Amino acid sequence: MHAPFGLLASPQHQPPGSSLLRYFMLSDAFGGAVKTRESERQVDANSGHRPFGGVTRCGDPAVILRFYHEKCKPFFIGDEQMGFIRPNDWVHLAPYKDAFHYDNKTNRVTLNPAWKTYEERSAKVADVLQDIRRKKIFKTLNGWRNECYDVSARYGDKPAMKMERAATCLFGLKRYGVHINGFVRRPDGSMSVWFQRRAATKETFPNKVDNMVTGGFCVGYTLMQCVRKEAQEEASLPDHLLNAIRPAGNVSFVYEDDRGIFPETIFVFDLELPEDFQPLCSDNEVDNFYLMTIPEVKNLVLSDEFKITSCPILLDFLVRHHFLSPDEEPNYCQLIDTVHMPLHNFYPSALVPTGVESKHRFHNNSSAI
């Protein structure tokens, strides 16, 4: 039997040369003992905010929800909670009183209820964000993309509005994306996996190694249209190869850094590729591609070279393809739970009176969390 991979093991039991656990870090708030890399704990020069004890929230969703509920202001549109606003971010949003109504008794922030439609909310908030952007207050708005995400409490719900994707983390809004795991089966039965190196000009995670194809699920596309668009732009994948793509579920987690809070759900796709296929980037967002063996992949997931928010997707791939097993990984069950956080019902749907049953798992009252 192979030595334990040790993804969730204590530092002294990790493979030689590996960094401290990169994705599965429990912050001090959750009693975790693993340190965060110092480069990801720096105070942001613009907002003065330091991420709450770590860059990643993982573990029991109820504990995470309680943590943000105690430290942040719930953000509502109507009776639906859409996200959380961190205290240092709220300092800069609070002056926009016409847009964001604060209730001191409930500590909640509600988007102006007079804005009734998707179009009106989207346009009014866009004006506010453009004004904030001009003031250069938030680091995240330096990466303005002119691409929007729909805003809803749960995937599949009718969206309440759309918002510039770079701004969604200021409100802790749920975000959705797509990843394609491209792999090759060798004649000897072994497998190799394709990865990209992100361009140095990328606003987020420049120069980091990443999964073969990644992208945000933006307004104006169906999910499969998004998959094909990203596959063609980032890897020049032709239609006849994309026809073999297979959905492989989703991976969900909560990530936080100096830009904001990111509750992420990634729709995952597997694509077996011929040995002679070479990915090529057509949109200048990828610098290069690498084909790696499974032992190299296991080292990569623990490396600072790999984009931290893509670690859950890669770990999920290793589990699904039987390259990481309960015999090898003593914390296998925790790993599975952590890459599949139930974000669909992560935020309370509304203020629910005590004793009233809700169809959603988390209620906005202390007894529920």
Side-chain angles (χ1 to χ4, degrees), residues 46-75:
N46 293 321
S47 70
H49 174 71
R50 182 188 297 277
F52 294 131
V55 295
T56 305
R57 309 291 172 200
C58 56
D60 186 340
V63 176
I64 300 171
L65 178 60
R66 183 186 302 116
F67 176 80
Y68 280 122
H69 188 78
E70 291 173 353
K71 300 293 184 181
C72 303
K73 300 184 186 306
F75 175 63

PDB file of all heavy atoms in Angstrom, residues 46-75:
ATOM      1  N   ASN A  46      -5.697  49.298   0.734  1.00  0.00           N
ATOM      2  CA  ASN A  46      -6.811  50.207   0.469  1.00  0.00           C
ATOM      3  C   ASN A  46      -7.886  50.133   1.544  1.00  0.00           C
ATOM      4  O   ASN A  46      -8.331  51.149   2.067  1.00  0.00           O
ATOM      5  CB  ASN A  46      -7.427  49.891  -0.898  1.00  0.00           C
ATOM      6  CG  ASN A  46      -6.477  50.206  -2.029  1.00  0.00           C
ATOM      7  OD1 ASN A  46      -5.775  51.212  -1.972  1.00  0.00           O
ATOM      8  ND2 ASN A  46      -6.442  49.364  -3.045  1.00  0.00           N
ATOM      9  N   SER A  47      -8.309  48.917   1.890  1.00  0.00           N
ATOM     10  CA  SER A  47      -9.433  48.787   2.817  1.00  0.00           C
ATOM     11  C   SER A  47      -8.998  48.677   4.264  1.00  0.00           C
ATOM     12  O   SER A  47      -9.793  48.875   5.175  1.00  0.00           O
ATOM     13  CB  SER A  47     -10.261  47.549   2.459  1.00  0.00           C
ATOM     14  OG  SER A  47      -9.534  46.370   2.752  1.00  0.00           O
ATOM     15  N   GLY A  48      -7.709  48.341   4.501  1.00  0.00           N
ATOM     16  CA  GLY A  48      -7.250  48.142   5.866  1.00  0.00           C
ATOM     17  C   GLY A  48      -7.748  46.854   6.475  1.00  0.00           C
ATOM     18  O   GLY A  48      -7.600  46.616   7.667  1.00  0.00           O
ATOM     19  N   HIS A  49      -8.329  45.988   5.657  1.00  0.00           N
ATOM     20  CA  HIS A  49      -8.944  44.762   6.172  1.00  0.00           C
ATOM     21  C   HIS A  49      -7.982  43.593   6.092  1.00  0.00           C
ATOM     22  O   HIS A  49      -7.266  43.432   5.121  1.00  0.00           O
ATOM     23  CB  HIS A  49     -10.200  44.424   5.366  1.00  0.00           C
ATOM     24  CG  HIS A  49     -10.801  43.103   5.732  1.00  0.00           C
ATOM     25  ND1 HIS A  49     -11.441  42.905   6.929  1.00  0.00           N
ATOM     26  CD2 HIS A  49     -10.836  41.924   5.071  1.00  0.00           C
ATOM     27  CE1 HIS A  49     -11.860  41.653   6.981  1.00  0.00           C
ATOM     28  NE2 HIS A  49     -11.503  41.037   5.873  1.00  0.00           N
ATOM     29  N   ARG A  50      -7.949  42.804   7.144  1.00  0.00           N
ATOM     30  CA  ARG A  50      -7.227  41.542   7.121  1.00  0.00           C
ATOM     31  C   ARG A  50      -8.261  40.421   7.100  1.00  0.00           C
ATOM     32  O   ARG A  50      -9.201  40.431   7.891  1.00  0.00           O
ATOM     33  CB  ARG A  50      -6.350  41.399   8.371  1.00  0.00           C
ATOM     34  CG  ARG A  50      -5.523  40.114   8.383  1.00  0.00           C
ATOM     35  CD  ARG A  50      -4.832  39.927   9.730  1.00  0.00           C
ATOM     36  NE  ARG A  50      -3.885  40.990  10.011  1.00  0.00           N
ATOM     37  CZ  ARG A  50      -2.633  41.012   9.558  1.00  0.00           C
ATOM     38  NH1 ARG A  50      -2.196  40.038   8.787  1.00  0.00           N
ATOM     39  NH2 ARG A  50      -1.830  42.008   9.862  1.00  0.00           N
ATOM     40  N   PRO A  51      -8.131  39.447   6.184  1.00  0.00           N
ATOM     41  CA  PRO A  51      -9.092  38.347   6.171  1.00  0.00           C
ATOM     42  C   PRO A  51      -9.231  37.720   7.548  1.00  0.00           C
ATOM     43  O   PRO A  51      -8.281  37.667   8.316  1.00  0.00           O
ATOM     44  CB  PRO A  51      -8.475  37.362   5.163  1.00  0.00           C
ATOM     45  CG  PRO A  51      -7.684  38.238   4.247  1.00  0.00           C
ATOM     46  CD  PRO A  51      -7.127  39.326   5.131  1.00  0.00           C
ATOM     47  N   PHE A  52     -10.425  37.243   7.861  1.00  0.00           N
ATOM     48  CA  PHE A  52     -10.737  36.741   9.192  1.00  0.00           C
ATOM     49  C   PHE A  52      -9.976  35.461   9.505  1.00  0.00           C
ATOM     50  O   PHE A  52     -10.489  34.357   9.379  1.00  0.00           O
ATOM     51  CB  PHE A  52     -12.232  36.462   9.322  1.00  0.00           C
ATOM     52  CG  PHE A  52     -13.084  37.685   9.240  1.00  0.00           C
ATOM     53  CD1 PHE A  52     -14.179  37.719   8.403  1.00  0.00           C
ATOM     54  CD2 PHE A  52     -12.794  38.804   9.990  1.00  0.00           C
ATOM     55  CE1 PHE A  52     -14.977  38.840   8.325  1.00  0.00           C
ATOM     56  CE2 PHE A  52     -13.586  39.935   9.917  1.00  0.00           C
ATOM     57  CZ  PHE A  52     -14.680  39.950   9.077  1.00  0.00           C
ATOM     58  N   GLY A  53      -8.717  35.579   9.886  1.00  0.00           N
ATOM     59  CA  GLY A  53      -7.985  34.436  10.412  1.00  0.00           C
ATOM     60  C   GLY A  53      -7.474  33.467   9.372  1.00  0.00           C
ATOM     61  O   GLY A  53      -6.747  32.550   9.695  1.00  0.00           O
ATOM     62  N   GLY A  54      -7.817  33.615   8.116  1.00  0.00           N
ATOM     63  CA  GLY A  54      -7.354  32.671   7.108  1.00  0.00           C
ATOM     64  C   GLY A  54      -7.966  32.979   5.771  1.00  0.00           C
ATOM     65  O   GLY A  54      -8.811  33.848   5.649  1.00  0.00           O
ATOM     66  N   VAL A  55      -7.538  32.266   4.756  1.00  0.00           N
ATOM     67  CA  VAL A  55      -8.052  32.537   3.424  1.00  0.00           C
ATOM     68  C   VAL A  55      -9.174  31.599   3.037  1.00  0.00           C
ATOM     69  O   VAL A  55      -9.847  31.825   2.054  1.00  0.00           O
ATOM     70  CB  VAL A  55      -6.935  32.443   2.364  1.00  0.00           C
ATOM     71  CG1 VAL A  55      -5.916  33.520   2.578  1.00  0.00           C
ATOM     72  CG2 VAL A  55      -6.276  31.073   2.378  1.00  0.00           C
ATOM     73  N   THR A  56      -9.393  30.533   3.788  1.00  0.00           N
ATOM     74  CA  THR A  56     -10.383  29.558   3.376  1.00  0.00           C
ATOM     75  C   THR A  56     -11.263  29.150   4.542  1.00  0.00           C
ATOM     76  O   THR A  56     -10.783  28.919   5.631  1.00  0.00           O
ATOM     77  CB  THR A  56      -9.708  28.293   2.814  1.00  0.00           C
ATOM     78  OG1 THR A  56      -8.834  28.680   1.772  1.00  0.00           O
ATOM     79  CG2 THR A  56     -10.727  27.315   2.267  1.00  0.00           C
ATOM     80  N   ARG A  57     -12.559  29.099   4.299  1.00  0.00           N
ATOM     81  CA  ARG A  57     -13.501  28.599   5.290  1.00  0.00           C
ATOM     82  C   ARG A  57     -13.916  27.204   4.863  1.00  0.00           C
ATOM     83  O   ARG A  57     -14.353  27.005   3.732  1.00  0.00           O
ATOM     84  CB  ARG A  57     -14.747  29.483   5.348  1.00  0.00           C
ATOM     85  CG  ARG A  57     -14.437  30.955   5.513  1.00  0.00           C
ATOM     86  CD  ARG A  57     -13.860  31.243   6.877  1.00  0.00           C
ATOM     87  NE  ARG A  57     -13.404  32.615   6.936  1.00  0.00           N
ATOM     88  CZ  ARG A  57     -12.542  33.060   7.824  1.00  0.00           C
ATOM     89  NH1 ARG A  57     -12.019  32.248   8.712  1.00  0.00           N
ATOM     90  NH2 ARG A  57     -12.177  34.313   7.831  1.00  0.00           N
ATOM     91  N   CYS A  58     -13.792  26.252   5.736  1.00  0.00           N
ATOM     92  CA  CYS A  58     -14.210  24.915   5.378  1.00  0.00           C
ATOM     93  C   CYS A  58     -14.662  24.191   6.628  1.00  0.00           C
ATOM     94  O   CYS A  58     -14.469  24.660   7.739  1.00  0.00           O
ATOM     95  CB  CYS A  58     -13.085  24.143   4.692  1.00  0.00           C
ATOM     96  SG  CYS A  58     -11.577  24.045   5.646  1.00  0.00           S
ATOM     97  N   GLY A  59     -15.284  23.048   6.435  1.00  0.00           N
ATOM     98  CA  GLY A  59     -15.766  22.285   7.571  1.00  0.00           C
ATOM     99  C   GLY A  59     -17.274  22.361   7.682  1.00  0.00           C
ATOM    100  O   GLY A  59     -17.989  22.407   6.689  1.00  0.00           O
ATOM    101  N   ASP A  60     -17.792  22.387   8.895  1.00  0.00           N
ATOM    102  CA  ASP A  60     -19.222  22.364   9.164  1.00  0.00           C
ATOM    103  C   ASP A  60     -19.868  23.652   8.654  1.00  0.00           C
ATOM    104  O   ASP A  60     -19.561  24.740   9.135  1.00  0.00           O
ATOM    105  CB  ASP A  60     -19.435  22.215  10.667  1.00  0.00           C
ATOM    106  CG  ASP A  60     -20.902  22.033  11.036  1.00  0.00           C
ATOM    107  OD1 ASP A  60     -21.771  22.394  10.217  1.00  0.00           O
ATOM    108  OD2 ASP A  60     -21.165  21.543  12.139  1.00  0.00           O
ATOM    109  N   PRO A  61     -20.789  23.575   7.678  1.00  0.00           N
ATOM    110  CA  PRO A  61     -21.406  24.790   7.136  1.00  0.00           C
ATOM    111  C   PRO A  61     -22.115  25.621   8.197  1.00  0.00           C
ATOM    112  O   PRO A  61     -22.126  26.848   8.122  1.00  0.00           O
ATOM    113  CB  PRO A  61     -22.399  24.248   6.099  1.00  0.00           C
ATOM    114  CG  PRO A  61     -21.869  22.908   5.731  1.00  0.00           C
ATOM    115  CD  PRO A  61     -21.234  22.367   6.971  1.00  0.00           C
ATOM    116  N   ALA A  62     -22.724  24.972   9.204  1.00  0.00           N
ATOM    117  CA  ALA A  62     -23.411  25.726  10.247  1.00  0.00           C
ATOM    118  C   ALA A  62     -22.432  26.570  11.045  1.00  0.00           C
ATOM    119  O   ALA A  62     -22.735  27.699  11.439  1.00  0.00           O
ATOM    120  CB  ALA A  62     -24.169  24.771  11.170  1.00  0.00           C
ATOM    121  N   VAL A  63     -21.227  26.034  11.279  1.00  0.00           N
ATOM    122  CA  VAL A  63     -20.203  26.784  12.008  1.00  0.00           C
ATOM    123  C   VAL A  63     -19.736  27.972  11.182  1.00  0.00           C
ATOM    124  O   VAL A  63     -19.563  29.084  11.690  1.00  0.00           O
ATOM    125  CB  VAL A  63     -19.014  25.865  12.361  1.00  0.00           C
ATOM    126  CG1 VAL A  63     -17.896  26.662  13.025  1.00  0.00           C
ATOM    127  CG2 VAL A  63     -19.467  24.735  13.270  1.00  0.00           C
ATOM    128  N   ILE A  64     -19.545  27.746   9.884  1.00  0.00           N
ATOM    129  CA  ILE A  64     -19.108  28.828   9.004  1.00  0.00           C
ATOM    130  C   ILE A  64     -20.178  29.907   8.926  1.00  0.00           C
ATOM    131  O   ILE A  64     -19.888  31.103   8.997  1.00  0.00           O
ATOM    132  CB  ILE A  64     -18.803  28.275   7.597  1.00  0.00           C
ATOM    133  CG1 ILE A  64     -17.690  27.236   7.687  1.00  0.00           C
ATOM    134  CG2 ILE A  64     -18.400  29.403   6.655  1.00  0.00           C
ATOM    135  CD1 ILE A  64     -17.469  26.483   6.407  1.00  0.00           C
ATOM    136  N   LEU A  65     -21.428  29.491   8.785  1.00  0.00           N
ATOM    137  CA  LEU A  65     -22.524  30.449   8.728  1.00  0.00           C
ATOM    138  C   LEU A  65     -22.582  31.277   9.999  1.00  0.00           C
ATOM    139  O   LEU A  65     -22.750  32.499   9.957  1.00  0.00           O
ATOM    140  CB  LEU A  65     -23.846  29.717   8.511  1.00  0.00           C
ATOM    141  CG  LEU A  65     -25.104  30.587   8.472  1.00  0.00           C
ATOM    142  CD1 LEU A  65     -25.011  31.607   7.351  1.00  0.00           C
ATOM    143  CD2 LEU A  65     -26.347  29.728   8.307  1.00  0.00           C
ATOM    144  N   ARG A  66     -22.427  30.625  11.154  1.00  0.00           N
ATOM    145  CA  ARG A  66     -22.455  31.352  12.426  1.00  0.00           C
ATOM    146  C   ARG A  66     -21.320  32.369  12.488  1.00  0.00           C
ATOM    147  O   ARG A  66     -21.497  33.501  12.938  1.00  0.00           O
ATOM    148  CB  ARG A  66     -22.348  30.378  13.598  1.00  0.00           C
ATOM    149  CG  ARG A  66     -22.449  31.068  14.960  1.00  0.00           C
ATOM    150  CD  ARG A  66     -22.190  30.119  16.119  1.00  0.00           C
ATOM    151  NE  ARG A  66     -23.119  29.013  16.103  1.00  0.00           N
ATOM    152  CZ  ARG A  66     -22.763  27.741  15.930  1.00  0.00           C
ATOM    153  NH1 ARG A  66     -21.492  27.438  15.734  1.00  0.00           N
ATOM    154  NH2 ARG A  66     -23.662  26.787  15.943  1.00  0.00           N
ATOM    155  N   PHE A  67     -20.141  31.954  12.013  1.00  0.00           N
ATOM    156  CA  PHE A  67     -18.982  32.845  12.044  1.00  0.00           C
ATOM    157  C   PHE A  67     -19.252  34.121  11.252  1.00  0.00           C
ATOM    158  O   PHE A  67     -19.072  35.234  11.748  1.00  0.00           O
ATOM    159  CB  PHE A  67     -17.761  32.124  11.479  1.00  0.00           C
ATOM    160  CG  PHE A  67     -16.538  32.988  11.388  1.00  0.00           C
ATOM    161  CD1 PHE A  67     -15.769  33.236  12.507  1.00  0.00           C
ATOM    162  CD2 PHE A  67     -16.167  33.566  10.186  1.00  0.00           C
ATOM    163  CE1 PHE A  67     -14.641  34.047  12.431  1.00  0.00           C
ATOM    164  CE2 PHE A  67     -15.046  34.369  10.097  1.00  0.00           C
ATOM    165  CZ  PHE A  67     -14.279  34.609  11.227  1.00  0.00           C
ATOM    166  N   TYR A  68     -19.718  33.976  10.014  1.00  0.00           N
ATOM    167  CA  TYR A  68     -19.980  35.156   9.200  1.00  0.00           C
ATOM    168  C   TYR A  68     -21.175  35.945   9.730  1.00  0.00           C
ATOM    169  O   TYR A  68     -21.208  37.173   9.639  1.00  0.00           O
ATOM    170  CB  TYR A  68     -20.200  34.755   7.737  1.00  0.00           C
ATOM    171  CG  TYR A  68     -18.912  34.499   7.002  1.00  0.00           C
ATOM    172  CD1 TYR A  68     -18.660  33.270   6.401  1.00  0.00           C
ATOM    173  CD2 TYR A  68     -17.934  35.479   6.912  1.00  0.00           C
ATOM    174  CE1 TYR A  68     -17.468  33.028   5.735  1.00  0.00           C
ATOM    175  CE2 TYR A  68     -16.737  35.244   6.248  1.00  0.00           C
ATOM    176  CZ  TYR A  68     -16.513  34.020   5.665  1.00  0.00           C
ATOM    177  OH  TYR A  68     -15.333  33.782   5.011  1.00  0.00           O
ATOM    178  N   HIS A  69     -22.160  35.248  10.284  1.00  0.00           N
ATOM    179  CA  HIS A  69     -23.326  35.938  10.829  1.00  0.00           C
ATOM    180  C   HIS A  69     -22.920  36.831  12.001  1.00  0.00           C
ATOM    181  O   HIS A  69     -23.453  37.930  12.171  1.00  0.00           O
ATOM    182  CB  HIS A  69     -24.376  34.922  11.281  1.00  0.00           C
ATOM    183  CG  HIS A  69     -25.685  35.538  11.669  1.00  0.00           C
ATOM    184  ND1 HIS A  69     -26.609  35.955  10.737  1.00  0.00           N
ATOM    185  CD2 HIS A  69     -26.215  35.836  12.879  1.00  0.00           C
ATOM    186  CE1 HIS A  69     -27.662  36.469  11.360  1.00  0.00           C
ATOM    187  NE2 HIS A  69     -27.446  36.402  12.659  1.00  0.00           N
ATOM    188  N   GLU A  70     -21.963  36.376  12.798  1.00  0.00           N
ATOM    189  CA  GLU A  70     -21.518  37.156  13.952  1.00  0.00           C
ATOM    190  C   GLU A  70     -20.589  38.289  13.546  1.00  0.00           C
ATOM    191  O   GLU A  70     -20.586  39.349  14.170  1.00  0.00           O
ATOM    192  CB  GLU A  70     -20.813  36.235  14.951  1.00  0.00           C
ATOM    193  CG  GLU A  70     -21.746  35.244  15.637  1.00  0.00           C
ATOM    194  CD  GLU A  70     -20.993  34.239  16.487  1.00  0.00           C
ATOM    195  OE1 GLU A  70     -19.737  34.238  16.436  1.00  0.00           O
ATOM    196  OE2 GLU A  70     -21.652  33.453  17.195  1.00  0.00           O
ATOM    197  N   LYS A  71     -19.798  38.090  12.513  1.00  0.00           N
ATOM    198  CA  LYS A  71     -18.773  39.067  12.148  1.00  0.00           C
ATOM    199  C   LYS A  71     -19.209  40.036  11.055  1.00  0.00           C
ATOM    200  O   LYS A  71     -18.635  41.119  10.925  1.00  0.00           O
ATOM    201  CB  LYS A  71     -17.506  38.333  11.683  1.00  0.00           C
ATOM    202  CG  LYS A  71     -16.887  37.413  12.722  1.00  0.00           C
ATOM    203  CD  LYS A  71     -16.334  38.187  13.900  1.00  0.00           C
ATOM    204  CE  LYS A  71     -15.638  37.245  14.881  1.00  0.00           C
ATOM    205  NZ  LYS A  71     -15.098  37.975  16.051  1.00  0.00           N
ATOM    206  N   CYS A  72     -20.193  39.648  10.250  1.00  0.00           N
ATOM    207  CA  CYS A  72     -20.560  40.433   9.069  1.00  0.00           C
ATOM    208  C   CYS A  72     -22.022  40.856   9.122  1.00  0.00           C
ATOM    209  O   CYS A  72     -22.769  40.460  10.014  1.00  0.00           O
ATOM    210  CB  CYS A  72     -20.315  39.615   7.803  1.00  0.00           C
ATOM    211  SG  CYS A  72     -18.618  39.044   7.619  1.00  0.00           S
ATOM    212  N   LYS A  73     -22.404  41.663   8.149  1.00  0.00           N
ATOM    213  CA  LYS A  73     -23.791  42.106   8.036  1.00  0.00           C
ATOM    214  C   LYS A  73     -24.481  41.312   6.929  1.00  0.00           C
ATOM    215  O   LYS A  73     -24.028  41.336   5.778  1.00  0.00           O
ATOM    216  CB  LYS A  73     -23.844  43.602   7.725  1.00  0.00           C
ATOM    217  CG  LYS A  73     -23.168  44.457   8.804  1.00  0.00           C
ATOM    218  CD  LYS A  73     -23.316  45.925   8.532  1.00  0.00           C
ATOM    219  CE  LYS A  73     -22.501  46.733   9.537  1.00  0.00           C
ATOM    220  NZ  LYS A  73     -22.816  46.416  10.944  1.00  0.00           N
ATOM    221  N   PRO A  74     -25.566  40.602   7.247  1.00  0.00           N
ATOM    222  CA  PRO A  74     -26.297  39.878   6.205  1.00  0.00           C
ATOM    223  C   PRO A  74     -26.818  40.848   5.145  1.00  0.00           C
ATOM    224  O   PRO A  74     -27.319  41.931   5.471  1.00  0.00           O
ATOM    225  CB  PRO A  74     -27.449  39.218   6.965  1.00  0.00           C
ATOM    226  CG  PRO A  74     -27.007  39.191   8.395  1.00  0.00           C
ATOM    227  CD  PRO A  74     -26.158  40.414   8.580  1.00  0.00           C
ATOM    228  N   PHE A  75     -26.688  40.467   3.886  1.00  0.00           N
ATOM    229  CA  PHE A  75     -27.146  41.304   2.776  1.00  0.00           C
ATOM    230  C   PHE A  75     -28.386  40.677   2.160  1.00  0.00           C
ATOM    231  O   PHE A  75     -28.369  39.518   1.743  1.00  0.00           O
ATOM    232  CB  PHE A  75     -26.043  41.437   1.721  1.00  0.00           C
ATOM    233  CG  PHE A  75     -26.482  42.184   0.490  1.00  0.00           C
ATOM    234  CD1 PHE A  75     -26.864  43.516   0.571  1.00  0.00           C
ATOM    235  CD2 PHE A  75     -26.514  41.559  -0.746  1.00  0.00           C
ATOM    236  CE1 PHE A  75     -27.274  44.208  -0.564  1.00  0.00           C
ATOM    237  CE2 PHE A  75     -26.916  42.240  -1.884  1.00  0.00           C
ATOM    238  CZ  PHE A  75     -27.301  43.570  -1.790  1.00  0.00           C
TER     239      PHE A  75
END
